[in-house]
Amino acid sequence: MRPTSPAPATTTVGIVGGGPAGLLLARLLHRCGIDSVVLESRDRAYVEHRQRAGVLEQGTVDTLRACGAGERLDRYGLVHHGIRLRYDGRSHRIDLPALTGGRSVVVYAQTEVVKDLIGLQLAGGGPLVFGARALAVTGADTARPVIHYAHEGREHTLTCDYVIGCDGFHGVTRDAVPTGARRLYERAYPYSWLGVLADVPPSCDELVYAHSERGFALFSMRSPTVSRLYLQVPNGTDPADWPDERIWEELDARSATDGPWELARGPITAKSVLPMRSVVTEPLRYGRVLLAGDAAHIVPPAGAKGLNLAVSDVTELARAFAHLKETGSGELLDGWSDACLRRVWRAEHFSYFMTTTLHTAPGQSTFDTRLQLAQLDRIASSPHAAAELAENYTGVPQAPVPVPVASPS
């Protein structure tokens, strides 16, 4: 006898991918009385421990609070009112609230965001199925697309009014869109990041972005006792080629300044290499299949935009679905792709600017280095240039969170 499916056979919105984008979309839809099912290929432990970005824009923080995911964020998140640029032996602080009318950012690990959203979903949301590997999405241009997935050795189908792909760039949802119906814009970078976690308090209470002829370095944190650190390295780097002492020495060299500065060192607990690229898929909708988050676009991490763009995507999308439910009009849903792409390209440009201004390309000429230093001097000396950076860093204001039809559960 065939076992019962782990999820209903039909739903209004089928969401492929249980990362922050998929989970937040499900939460927002639930508050508006719209049913959904989230299918996640990995198990819960894996999802809750995937290390990703940890800098949340003001709009992202506001959205998480509005949907009920703000309790732990407000308790453990680290509010940052500035960032520091380190270059040519100098250090300059960007005062975010002073330059943006009061906006700031919060350092709160994506792992914690995911834990919060999973807890809400399991406590009172729609079905969230772990270990459900999407095999294909069919019927994208029909009124009822279908997600085919495997769970515990059995194949199942989920018939939907709409399918939302939150399953990343290599997920199956992208394949539901014919290649002739989408355009891909892509840029690869000639360097990667070596990211490390270290059990040591941060050397600075704000993020430090360091430009050096030796390469870029970023000093961040996961908590008051755990540092998150990055070094620019060549593409194809093996983390095993970077023993702990080499990492600390290089971080120290790249952050050198004429002012007081002491790099705090401690046990390194994790190392990984992150390739860097910019990718945008257009449009974000084909028929009744829509792409959000990394399935739709990827940004290099220097601008801290990846998670924030995903939040913006699904907040706009939930608002469009709520409008459709309340009025019967698909106007917002029809315009969703164009609205999102305007924000996406703004974020892509800012991330490209931060990346190319702060990194040293292989074989870079002294002329190009002087151009980078001139740009950094411009930011340090001009309130207008500093405000442009601060406004982009804290994020373009996001769409309002859709109002729930009833008190959230």
Side-chain angles (χ1 to χ4, degrees):
M1 181 176 180
R2 186 180 180 86
T4 303
S5 170
T10 63
T11 190
T12 301
V13 180
I15 302 170
V16 185
L23 292 167
L24 178 59
L25 177 59
R27 178 63 181 171
L28 295 171
L29 293 176
H30 173 69
R31 286 165 48 89
C32 295
I34 300 170
D35 64 289
S36 69
V37 174
V38 181
L39 303 176
E40 165 57 43
S41 63
R42 302 284 193 163
D43 61 30
R44 180 177 179 177
Y46 181 92
V47 174
E48 291 185 340
H49 290 87
R50 276 188 293 215
Q51 292 292 337
R52 295 290 189 274
V55 178
L56 308 184
E57 295 176 357
Q58 184 73 62
T60 296
V61 171
D62 294 342
T63 297
L64 292 171
R65 286 172 177 158
C67 77
E71 180 183 353
R72 293 177 67 249
L73 187 158
D74 288 335
R75 188 187 314 161
Y76 300 115
L78 305 176
V79 179
H80 283 205
H81 297 294
I83 61 172
R84 298 170 190 266
L85 302 178
R86 187 73 56 81
Y87 65 99
D88 199 26
R90 287 170 280 173
S91 183
H92 177 75
R93 182 175 185 268
I94 303 293
D95 188 328
L96 298 176
L99 294 164
T100 62
R103 298 207 303 271
S104 58
V105 297
V106 174
V107 174
Y108 187 64
Q110 178 174 309
T111 53
E112 304 310 306
V113 173
V114 168
K115 289 174 186 175
D116 295 340
L117 292 172
I118 287 175
L120 289 170
Q121 187 74 4
L122 295 179
L128 165 57
V129 186
F130 292 105
R133 182 170 58 90
L135 304 173
V137 176
T138 59
D141 55 353
T142 70
R144 298 285 281 169
V146 178
I147 304 171
H148 304 260
Y149 69 98
H151 182 261
E152 295 183 347
R154 299 279 185 166
E155 293 190 10
H156 308 274
T157 60
L158 177 62
T159 302
C160 318
D161 291 343
Y162 295 89
V163 173
I164 315 301
C166 299
D167 50 343
F169 185 79
H170 298 291
V172 302
T173 313
R174 289 171 54 84
D175 295 334
V177 182
T179 54
R182 54 185 162 103
R183 299 180 299 278
L184 186 68
Y185 301 91
E186 186 170 12
R187 183 186 188 94
Y189 295 87
Y191 32 70
S192 300
W193 276 11
L194 172 66
V196 303
L197 281 172
D199 283 340
V200 60
S203 300
C204 181
D205 58 358
E206 295 177 334
L207 272 67
V208 177
Y209 290 79
H211 172 280
S212 163
E213 291 187 9
R214 301 174 68 97
F216 169 76
L218 172 60
F219 301 79
S220 182
M221 68 279 298
R222 281 293 177 260
S223 74
T225 60
V226 177
S227 293
R228 182 66 164 158
L229 307 158
Y230 298 93
L231 284 169
Q232 175 189 337
V233 294
N235 287 339
T237 291
D238 184 346
D241 293 335
W242 282 79
D244 294 4
E245 187 59 28
R246 182 186 180 190
I247 291 172
W248 290 119
E249 290 300 323
E250 196 64 26
L251 286 166
D252 203 15
R254 296 186 191 188
S255 61
T257 177
D258 296 336
W261 166 257
E262 183 176 352
L263 176 63
R265 306 186 182 203
I268 291 177
T269 59
K271 303 175 189 178
S272 61
V273 171
L274 174 68
M276 301 175 66
R277 57 183 177 154
S278 301
V279 180
V280 179
T281 299
E282 292 189 1
L284 305 184
R285 177 181 178 182
Y286 176 76
R288 297 215 169 196
V289 170
L290 300 90
L291 305 176
D294 285 357
H297 42 70
I298 296 172
V299 291
K305 294 297 161 202
L307 173 59
N308 295 293
L309 271 183
V311 168
S312 177
D313 288 349
V314 298
T315 304
E316 290 267 12
L317 187 53
R319 193 164 66 95
F321 276 123
H323 185 72
L324 176 63
K325 176 182 173 65
E326 294 164 7
T327 68
S329 169
E331 178 184 4
L332 293 184
L333 200 55
D334 292 340
W336 172 77
S337 176
D338 288 342
C340 279
L341 284 169
R342 284 191 289 273
R343 184 186 183 93
V344 166
W345 280 112
R346 176 65 256 159
E348 289 283 357
H349 182 269
F350 176 66
S351 299
Y352 168 81
F353 165 78
M354 290 288 283
T355 302
T356 56
T357 300
L358 292 166
H359 290 70
T360 302
Q364 178 170 303
S365 69
T366 54
F367 181 87
D368 288 337
T369 299
R370 295 296 296 174
L371 289 178
Q372 290 175 320
L373 295 175
Q375 180 61 56
L376 290 166
D377 272 337
R378 163 77 175 162
I379 294 168
S381 60
S382 166
H384 300 290
E388 175 74 8
L389 189 154
E391 288 170 358
N392 280 280
Y393 194 84
T394 56
V396 178
Q398 295 187 9
V401 175
V403 177
V405 296
S407 297
S409 56

